[in-house]
PDB file of all heavy atoms in Angstrom:
ATOM      1  N   PRO G 449      31.435 -29.600-184.533  1.00  0.00           N
ATOM      2  CA  PRO G 449      31.182 -30.298-183.291  1.00  0.00           C
ATOM      3  C   PRO G 449      30.859 -29.312-182.186  1.00  0.00           C
ATOM      4  O   PRO G 449      31.409 -29.415-181.026  1.00  0.00           O
ATOM      5  CB  PRO G 449      32.445 -31.015-183.084  1.00  0.00           C
ATOM      6  CG  PRO G 449      33.469 -30.149-183.673  1.00  0.00           C
ATOM      7  CD  PRO G 449      32.815 -29.113-184.565  1.00  0.00           C
ATOM      8  N   ALA G 450      29.911 -28.408-182.361  1.00  0.00           N
ATOM      9  CA  ALA G 450      29.628 -27.400-181.333  1.00  0.00           C
ATOM     10  C   ALA G 450      29.309 -28.062-180.050  1.00  0.00           C
ATOM     11  O   ALA G 450      28.250 -28.808-180.119  1.00  0.00           O
ATOM     12  CB  ALA G 450      28.587 -26.482-181.774  1.00  0.00           C
ATOM     13  N   PRO G 451      29.936 -27.830-178.980  1.00  0.00           N
ATOM     14  CA  PRO G 451      29.624 -28.451-177.759  1.00  0.00           C
ATOM     15  C   PRO G 451      28.202 -28.023-177.200  1.00  0.00           C
ATOM     16  O   PRO G 451      27.906 -26.827-177.321  1.00  0.00           O
ATOM     17  CB  PRO G 451      30.787 -28.097-176.757  1.00  0.00           C
ATOM     18  CG  PRO G 451      31.223 -26.816-177.308  1.00  0.00           C
ATOM     19  CD  PRO G 451      31.019 -26.851-178.826  1.00  0.00           C
ATOM     20  N   ALA G 452      27.418 -28.932-176.700  1.00  0.00           N
ATOM     21  CA  ALA G 452      26.152 -28.509-176.190  1.00  0.00           C
ATOM     22  C   ALA G 452      26.322 -27.728-174.908  1.00  0.00           C
ATOM     23  O   ALA G 452      27.123 -27.971-174.042  1.00  0.00           O
ATOM     24  CB  ALA G 452      25.370 -29.855-175.839  1.00  0.00           C
ATOM     25  N   SER G 453      25.595 -26.648-174.952  1.00  0.00           N
ATOM     26  CA  SER G 453      25.672 -25.781-173.667  1.00  0.00           C
ATOM     27  C   SER G 453      24.117 -25.418-173.435  1.00  0.00           C
ATOM     28  O   SER G 453      23.564 -24.389-173.982  1.00  0.00           O
ATOM     29  CB  SER G 453      26.475 -24.532-173.967  1.00  0.00           C
ATOM     30  OG  SER G 453      26.170 -23.910-175.159  1.00  0.00           O
ATOM     31  N   PRO G 454      23.563 -26.180-172.534  1.00  0.00           N
ATOM     32  CA  PRO G 454      22.200 -25.981-172.194  1.00  0.00           C
ATOM     33  C   PRO G 454      21.951 -24.570-171.664  1.00  0.00           C
ATOM     34  O   PRO G 454      22.756 -24.033-170.985  1.00  0.00           O
ATOM     35  CB  PRO G 454      21.942 -27.047-171.159  1.00  0.00           C
ATOM     36  CG  PRO G 454      23.192 -27.457-170.768  1.00  0.00           C
ATOM     37  CD  PRO G 454      24.226 -27.192-171.737  1.00  0.00           C
ATOM     38  N   GLY G 455      20.840 -24.046-171.973  1.00  0.00           N
ATOM     39  CA  GLY G 455      20.466 -22.767-171.337  1.00  0.00           C
ATOM     40  C   GLY G 455      20.976 -21.621-172.119  1.00  0.00           C
ATOM     41  O   GLY G 455      20.921 -20.524-171.681  1.00  0.00           O
ATOM     42  N   VAL G 456      21.631 -21.879-173.197  1.00  0.00           N
ATOM     43  CA  VAL G 456      22.201 -20.796-173.943  1.00  0.00           C
ATOM     44  C   VAL G 456      21.052 -20.188-174.875  1.00  0.00           C
ATOM     45  O   VAL G 456      20.530 -20.904-175.714  1.00  0.00           O
ATOM     46  CB  VAL G 456      23.396 -21.198-174.830  1.00  0.00           C
ATOM     47  CG1 VAL G 456      24.018 -19.978-175.567  1.00  0.00           C
ATOM     48  CG2 VAL G 456      24.416 -21.879-173.958  1.00  0.00           C
ATOM     49  N   PRO G 457      20.883 -18.917-174.794  1.00  0.00           N
ATOM     50  CA  PRO G 457      19.914 -18.231-175.703  1.00  0.00           C
ATOM     51  C   PRO G 457      20.507 -18.296-177.160  1.00  0.00           C
ATOM     52  O   PRO G 457      21.671 -18.372-177.344  1.00  0.00           O
ATOM     53  CB  PRO G 457      19.739 -16.801-175.217  1.00  0.00           C
ATOM     54  CG  PRO G 457      21.067 -16.492-174.485  1.00  0.00           C
ATOM     55  CD  PRO G 457      21.488 -17.899-173.887  1.00  0.00           C
ATOM     56  N   THR G 458      19.623 -18.597-178.108  1.00  0.00           N
ATOM     57  CA  THR G 458      20.127 -18.623-179.457  1.00  0.00           C
ATOM     58  C   THR G 458      19.564 -17.619-180.316  1.00  0.00           C
ATOM     59  O   THR G 458      18.717 -17.798-181.149  1.00  0.00           O
ATOM     60  CB  THR G 458      19.802 -19.990-180.081  1.00  0.00           C
ATOM     61  OG1 THR G 458      18.326 -20.180-179.886  1.00  0.00           O
ATOM     62  CG2 THR G 458      20.577 -21.060-179.459  1.00  0.00           C
ATOM     63  N   PRO G 459      19.913 -16.267-180.167  1.00  0.00           N
ATOM     64  CA  PRO G 459      19.502 -15.309-180.900  1.00  0.00           C
ATOM     65  C   PRO G 459      20.320 -15.190-182.230  1.00  0.00           C
ATOM     66  O   PRO G 459      21.015 -16.122-182.523  1.00  0.00           O
ATOM     67  CB  PRO G 459      19.958 -14.027-180.178  1.00  0.00           C
ATOM     68  CG  PRO G 459      21.053 -14.432-179.313  1.00  0.00           C
ATOM     69  CD  PRO G 459      20.833 -15.905-179.072  1.00  0.00           C
ATOM     70  N   ALA G 460      19.959 -14.247-183.158  1.00  0.00           N
ATOM     71  CA  ALA G 460      20.492 -14.302-184.441  1.00  0.00           C
ATOM     72  C   ALA G 460      22.055 -14.506-184.543  1.00  0.00           C
ATOM     73  O   ALA G 460      22.472 -15.289-185.323  1.00  0.00           O
ATOM     74  CB  ALA G 460      20.172 -12.947-185.094  1.00  0.00           C
ATOM     75  N   LEU G 461      22.759 -13.872-183.702  1.00  0.00           N
ATOM     76  CA  LEU G 461      24.207 -13.917-183.821  1.00  0.00           C
ATOM     77  C   LEU G 461      24.795 -15.158-183.274  1.00  0.00           C
ATOM     78  O   LEU G 461      25.882 -15.531-183.509  1.00  0.00           O
ATOM     79  CB  LEU G 461      24.786 -12.700-183.137  1.00  0.00           C
ATOM     80  CG  LEU G 461      24.660 -11.367-183.946  1.00  0.00           C
ATOM     81  CD1 LEU G 461      25.064 -10.185-183.145  1.00  0.00           C
ATOM     82  CD2 LEU G 461      25.429 -11.392-185.207  1.00  0.00           C
ATOM     83  N   THR G 462      23.955 -15.884-182.432  1.00  0.00           N
ATOM     84  CA  THR G 462      24.565 -17.052-181.793  1.00  0.00           C
ATOM     85  C   THR G 462      23.654 -18.255-182.169  1.00  0.00           C
ATOM     86  O   THR G 462      23.017 -18.850-181.377  1.00  0.00           O
ATOM     87  CB  THR G 462      24.600 -16.921-180.267  1.00  0.00           C
ATOM     88  OG1 THR G 462      23.363 -16.477-179.805  1.00  0.00           O
ATOM     89  CG2 THR G 462      25.609 -15.900-179.856  1.00  0.00           C
ATOM     90  N   THR G 463      23.710 -18.547-183.422  1.00  0.00           N
ATOM     91  CA  THR G 463      22.750 -19.417-184.008  1.00  0.00           C
ATOM     92  C   THR G 463      23.036 -20.806-183.698  1.00  0.00           C
ATOM     93  O   THR G 463      24.253 -21.327-183.462  1.00  0.00           O
ATOM     94  CB  THR G 463      22.717 -19.304-185.555  1.00  0.00           C
ATOM     95  OG1 THR G 463      22.724 -17.968-185.843  1.00  0.00           O
ATOM     96  CG2 THR G 463      21.443 -19.906-186.158  1.00  0.00           C
ATOM     97  N   ALA G 464      22.090 -21.774-183.608  1.00  0.00           N
ATOM     98  CA  ALA G 464      22.185 -23.118-183.314  1.00  0.00           C
ATOM     99  C   ALA G 464      22.800 -23.903-184.509  1.00  0.00           C
ATOM    100  O   ALA G 464      22.750 -23.394-185.591  1.00  0.00           O
ATOM    101  CB  ALA G 464      20.782 -23.780-183.009  1.00  0.00           C
ATOM    102  N   PRO G 465      23.521 -24.977-184.211  1.00  0.00           N
ATOM    103  CA  PRO G 465      24.231 -25.660-185.182  1.00  0.00           C
ATOM    104  C   PRO G 465      23.461 -26.302-186.301  1.00  0.00           C
ATOM    105  O   PRO G 465      23.936 -26.478-187.374  1.00  0.00           O
ATOM    106  CB  PRO G 465      25.017 -26.768-184.438  1.00  0.00           C
ATOM    107  CG  PRO G 465      24.324 -26.865-183.064  1.00  0.00           C
ATOM    108  CD  PRO G 465      23.700 -25.606-182.859  1.00  0.00           C
ATOM    109  N   GLU G 466      22.169 -26.683-186.008  1.00  0.00           N
ATOM    110  CA  GLU G 466      21.272 -27.259-186.968  1.00  0.00           C
ATOM    111  C   GLU G 466      21.174 -26.489-188.300  1.00  0.00           C
ATOM    112  O   GLU G 466      21.040 -27.002-189.363  1.00  0.00           O
ATOM    113  CB  GLU G 466      19.795 -27.389-186.423  1.00  0.00           C
ATOM    114  CG  GLU G 466      19.825 -28.394-185.220  1.00  0.00           C
ATOM    115  CD  GLU G 466      19.947 -27.541-183.976  1.00  0.00           C
ATOM    116  OE1 GLU G 466      19.108 -26.853-183.555  1.00  0.00           O
ATOM    117  OE2 GLU G 466      21.045 -27.600-183.509  1.00  0.00           O
ATOM    118  N   VAL G 467      21.180 -25.156-188.144  1.00  0.00           N
ATOM    119  CA  VAL G 467      21.087 -24.246-189.320  1.00  0.00           C
ATOM    120  C   VAL G 467      22.449 -23.784-189.712  1.00  0.00           C
ATOM    121  O   VAL G 467      22.594 -22.647-190.029  1.00  0.00           O
ATOM    122  CB  VAL G 467      20.160 -23.058-189.052  1.00  0.00           C
ATOM    123  CG1 VAL G 467      18.705 -23.551-189.086  1.00  0.00           C
ATOM    124  CG2 VAL G 467      20.502 -22.398-187.717  1.00  0.00           C
ATOM    125  N   ALA G 468      23.402 -24.728-189.807  1.00  0.00           N
ATOM    126  CA  ALA G 468      24.784 -24.430-189.960  1.00  0.00           C
ATOM    127  C   ALA G 468      25.093 -23.475-191.144  1.00  0.00           C
ATOM    128  O   ALA G 468      25.733 -22.526-191.033  1.00  0.00           O
ATOM    129  CB  ALA G 468      25.649 -25.629-189.937  1.00  0.00           C
ATOM    130  N   PRO G 469      24.604 -23.987-192.359  1.00  0.00           N
ATOM    131  CA  PRO G 469      25.029 -23.159-193.582  1.00  0.00           C
ATOM    132  C   PRO G 469      24.485 -21.790-193.503  1.00  0.00           C
ATOM    133  O   PRO G 469      25.158 -20.769-193.825  1.00  0.00           O
ATOM    134  CB  PRO G 469      24.295 -23.974-194.687  1.00  0.00           C
ATOM    135  CG  PRO G 469      24.044 -25.265-194.170  1.00  0.00           C
ATOM    136  CD  PRO G 469      23.854 -25.150-192.734  1.00  0.00           C
ATOM    137  N   GLY G 470      23.225 -21.656-192.987  1.00  0.00           N
ATOM    138  CA  GLY G 470      22.724 -20.400-192.857  1.00  0.00           C
ATOM    139  C   GLY G 470      23.495 -19.549-191.848  1.00  0.00           C
ATOM    140  O   GLY G 470      23.726 -18.295-192.065  1.00  0.00           O
ATOM    141  N   ALA G 471      23.882 -20.183-190.743  1.00  0.00           N
ATOM    142  CA  ALA G 471      24.611 -19.477-189.690  1.00  0.00           C
ATOM    143  C   ALA G 471      25.988 -18.946-190.220  1.00  0.00           C
ATOM    144  O   ALA G 471      26.276 -17.804-189.954  1.00  0.00           O
ATOM    145  CB  ALA G 471      24.855 -20.394-188.601  1.00  0.00           C
ATOM    146  N   LEU G 472      26.563 -19.824-190.945  1.00  0.00           N
ATOM    147  CA  LEU G 472      27.860 -19.468-191.521  1.00  0.00           C
ATOM    148  C   LEU G 472      27.744 -18.165-192.432  1.00  0.00           C
ATOM    149  O   LEU G 472      28.432 -17.242-192.286  1.00  0.00           O
ATOM    150  CB  LEU G 472      28.534 -20.562-192.333  1.00  0.00           C
ATOM    151  CG  LEU G 472      30.006 -20.560-192.676  1.00  0.00           C
ATOM    152  CD1 LEU G 472      30.497 -21.953-192.782  1.00  0.00           C
ATOM    153  CD2 LEU G 472      30.268 -19.772-193.889  1.00  0.00           C
ATOM    154  N   ALA G 473      26.804 -18.241-193.376  1.00  0.00           N
ATOM    155  CA  ALA G 473      26.560 -17.166-194.280  1.00  0.00           C
ATOM    156  C   ALA G 473      26.198 -15.910-193.486  1.00  0.00           C
ATOM    157  O   ALA G 473      26.739 -14.885-193.895  1.00  0.00           O
ATOM    158  CB  ALA G 473      25.470 -17.507-195.235  1.00  0.00           C
ATOM    159  N   ALA G 474      25.353 -16.023-192.441  1.00  0.00           N
ATOM    160  CA  ALA G 474      24.874 -14.893-191.753  1.00  0.00           C
ATOM    161  C   ALA G 474      26.028 -14.279-191.042  1.00  0.00           C
ATOM    162  O   ALA G 474      26.205 -13.061-190.940  1.00  0.00           O
ATOM    163  CB  ALA G 474      23.738 -15.284-190.748  1.00  0.00           C
ATOM    164  N   MET G 475      26.830 -15.191-190.475  1.00  0.00           N
ATOM    165  CA  MET G 475      28.054 -14.577-189.710  1.00  0.00           C
ATOM    166  C   MET G 475      29.002 -13.922-190.634  1.00  0.00           C
ATOM    167  O   MET G 475      29.560 -12.872-190.340  1.00  0.00           O
ATOM    168  CB  MET G 475      28.725 -15.786-189.015  1.00  0.00           C
ATOM    169  CG  MET G 475      29.878 -15.341-188.087  1.00  0.00           C
ATOM    170  SD  MET G 475      29.277 -14.181-186.814  1.00  0.00           S
ATOM    171  CE  MET G 475      28.236 -15.187-185.839  1.00  0.00           C
ATOM    172  N   ALA G 476      29.191 -14.530-191.839  1.00  0.00           N
ATOM    173  CA  ALA G 476      30.193 -14.041-192.878  1.00  0.00           C
ATOM    174  C   ALA G 476      29.613 -12.645-193.245  1.00  0.00           C
ATOM    175  O   ALA G 476      30.379 -11.640-193.412  1.00  0.00           O
ATOM    176  CB  ALA G 476      30.297 -14.876-194.040  1.00  0.00           C
ATOM    177  N   GLU G 477      28.295 -12.463-193.369  1.00  0.00           N
ATOM    178  CA  GLU G 477      27.694 -11.267-193.726  1.00  0.00           C
ATOM    179  C   GLU G 477      27.946 -10.209-192.670  1.00  0.00           C
ATOM    180  O   GLU G 477      28.237  -9.003-192.820  1.00  0.00           O
ATOM    181  CB  GLU G 477      26.135 -11.492-194.010  1.00  0.00           C
ATOM    182  CG  GLU G 477      25.598 -10.379-194.809  1.00  0.00           C
ATOM    183  CD  GLU G 477      26.161 -10.256-196.168  1.00  0.00           C
ATOM    184  OE1 GLU G 477      26.359 -11.331-196.894  1.00  0.00           O
ATOM    185  OE2 GLU G 477      26.472  -9.124-196.550  1.00  0.00           O
ATOM    186  N   CYS G 478      27.622 -10.706-191.449  1.00  0.00           N
ATOM    187  CA  CYS G 478      27.663  -9.774-190.212  1.00  0.00           C
ATOM    188  C   CYS G 478      29.062  -9.270-190.069  1.00  0.00           C
ATOM    189  O   CYS G 478      29.180  -8.098-189.663  1.00  0.00           O
ATOM    190  CB  CYS G 478      27.296 -10.749-189.048  1.00  0.00           C
ATOM    191  SG  CYS G 478      27.267  -9.871-187.604  1.00  0.00           S
ATOM    192  N   CYS G 479      30.153 -10.043-190.215  1.00  0.00           N
ATOM    193  CA  CYS G 479      31.473  -9.661-190.114  1.00  0.00           C
ATOM    194  C   CYS G 479      32.083  -9.068-191.334  1.00  0.00           C
ATOM    195  O   CYS G 479      33.322  -8.774-191.352  1.00  0.00           O
ATOM    196  CB  CYS G 479      32.376 -10.704-189.492  1.00  0.00           C
ATOM    197  SG  CYS G 479      31.864 -11.174-187.779  1.00  0.00           S
ATOM    198  N   ASP G 480      31.305  -8.911-192.368  1.00  0.00           N
ATOM    199  CA  ASP G 480      31.835  -8.358-193.668  1.00  0.00           C
ATOM    200  C   ASP G 480      32.933  -9.147-194.310  1.00  0.00           C
ATOM    201  O   ASP G 480      33.968  -8.634-194.682  1.00  0.00           O
ATOM    202  CB  ASP G 480      32.175  -6.853-193.490  1.00  0.00           C
ATOM    203  CG  ASP G 480      32.327  -6.219-194.784  1.00  0.00           C
ATOM    204  OD1 ASP G 480      31.863  -6.680-195.803  1.00  0.00           O
ATOM    205  OD2 ASP G 480      33.014  -5.174-194.780  1.00  0.00           O
ATOM    206  N   ILE G 481      32.929 -10.488-194.143  1.00  0.00           N
ATOM    207  CA  ILE G 481      34.024 -11.281-194.837  1.00  0.00           C
ATOM    208  C   ILE G 481      33.391 -12.188-195.904  1.00  0.00           C
ATOM    209  O   ILE G 481      33.975 -13.209-196.298  1.00  0.00           O
ATOM    210  CB  ILE G 481      34.615 -12.152-193.742  1.00  0.00           C
ATOM    211  CG1 ILE G 481      33.687 -12.942-192.928  1.00  0.00           C
ATOM    212  CG2 ILE G 481      35.631 -11.254-192.787  1.00  0.00           C
ATOM    213  CD1 ILE G 481      34.313 -13.942-192.108  1.00  0.00           C
ATOM    214  N   ALA G 482      32.138 -12.014-196.278  1.00  0.00           N
ATOM    215  CA  ALA G 482      31.504 -12.934-197.295  1.00  0.00           C
ATOM    216  C   ALA G 482      32.462 -13.047-198.539  1.00  0.00           C
ATOM    217  O   ALA G 482      32.478 -14.119-199.180  1.00  0.00           O
ATOM    218  CB  ALA G 482      30.109 -12.390-197.616  1.00  0.00           C
TER     219      ALA G 482
END
Side-chain angles (χ1 to χ4, degrees):
Chain G
S453 46
V456 182
T458 51
L461 286 171
T462 51
T463 317
E466 298 86 77
V467 283
L472 196 153
M475 186 57 69
E477 198 60 47
C478 178
C479 295
D480 193 19
I481 53 169

